[in-house]
Amino acid sequence: MGTMIELQAADGTWVPAYEARPTGTPKGAVVVIQEIFGVNSHIRNVADGYAAEGYLAVAPAAFHRVKPGVELGYTDADMGEGFGYKTAVEALSAPGVLQDIQAAIDHVAKVSGGKVGIVGYCWGGLLTWRAACTLKGLSAAAPYYGGGVTTEAEMARHPQVPVLAHFADEDKWIPLESVEAFKKVHPEVEVQTYAAHHGFNCDQRGAWHAPSAQLARERTLAFFAKHLG
């Protein structure tokens, strides 16, 4: 369904992105932010899924500034490699990868002619939260189990658009007590938790939990229909 395109960030850097277009006129757009495994087949499938729902979807390569062409699986070795790239991107001078996400937002807004939402998973969930708090042109954000979102530094941010945050009850990376703290600090954010582990949305991971993934998807689609329609 999709093709690779290039986006130009504010500093002139060209960044690859996977774009999936719906049949007919888009009813809006969704920027999809990768996990630490690159724009792999799972992330492309997520983008295709939003296109099938009528949205123009684009997934920028968030590792491109430190390592082009990253597409990993889900072994322990892949996780270690991806974490290394994530650490390198996080160490970039501001605005770092956020300018690439802004380029994606600007692109889909122009092409779709509609409102723009953003969804991200794992590290992409953290970037989705930051985008909701700092970037322009968004109308809604849905971070999934964003690692770091519940830290004090990230909780100090303030979202500029409606946010639906998905967390997992059994997430060893994001303690449930930190999710409860996040809820208290951000009562304006809709927080949903699931009886699952970190990564429950990805059907290529052992943590995949189909009922939770389906429910979170239904909630996210309803959320986007409300704020992007």
Side-chain angles (χ1 to χ4, degrees):
M1 183 180 292
T3 58
M4 293 302 296
I5 62 170
E6 286 197 327
L7 306 169
Q8 189 172 26
D11 68 350
T13 301
W14 289 94
V15 178
Y18 178 79
E19 182 182 74
R21 298 198 175 199
T23 300
T25 303
K27 59 185 181 183
V30 177
V31 176
V32 179
I33 308 298
Q34 64 176 65
E35 303 167 296
I36 62 169
F37 307 102
V39 181
N40 60 9
S41 60
H42 169 61
I43 294 300
R44 295 194 298 271
N45 287 341
V46 170
D48 289 345
Y50 280 105
E53 295 291 336
Y55 295 101
L56 172 65
V58 65
F63 284 157
H64 184 71
R65 289 178 181 268
V66 299
K67 179 71 173 181
V70 175
E71 186 173 339
L72 301 173
Y74 295 93
T75 66
D76 288 344
D78 290 328
M79 186 169 293
E81 184 177 349
F83 186 80
Y85 298 142
K86 175 250 187 183
T87 301
V89 172
E90 290 283 313
L92 293 172
S93 299
V97 72
L98 286 175
Q99 62 192 312
D100 304 335
I101 297 173
Q102 184 68 66
I105 294 167
D106 295 344
H107 169 75
V108 293
K110 181 178 179 180
V111 174
S112 73
K115 294 181 179 180
V116 181
I118 186 169
V119 62
Y121 307 84
C122 183
W123 176 53
L126 174 60
L127 294 177
T128 294
W129 171 248
R130 290 175 179 168
C133 297
T134 64
L135 300 185
K136 297 179 179 179
L138 289 171
S139 293
Y144 277 67
Y145 33 83
V149 168
T150 61
T151 61
E152 285 190 17
E154 293 298 333
M155 285 197 291
R157 299 181 188 271
H158 299 283
Q160 306 301 307
V161 298
V163 174
L164 166 61
H166 303 287
F167 293 101
D169 289 350
E170 301 169 60
D171 193 329
K172 66 179 181 180
W173 305 107
I174 308 172
L176 199 56
E177 55 266 28
S178 72
V179 175
E180 292 301 320
F182 178 85
K183 288 168 65 175
K184 290 180 180 179
V185 173
H186 289 288
E188 79 282 9
V189 173
E190 180 183 348
V191 174
Q192 298 288 355
T193 58
Y194 303 83
H197 296 277
H198 187 89
F200 68 78
N201 182 71
C202 179
D203 59 4
Q204 297 181 24
R205 302 176 71 164
W208 180 52
H209 188 248
S212 296
Q214 179 62 29
L215 180 56
R217 175 177 168 78
E218 290 172 358
R219 286 171 170 165
T220 303
L221 287 172
F223 179 72
F224 282 158
K226 177 181 179 180
H227 296 291
L228 306 183

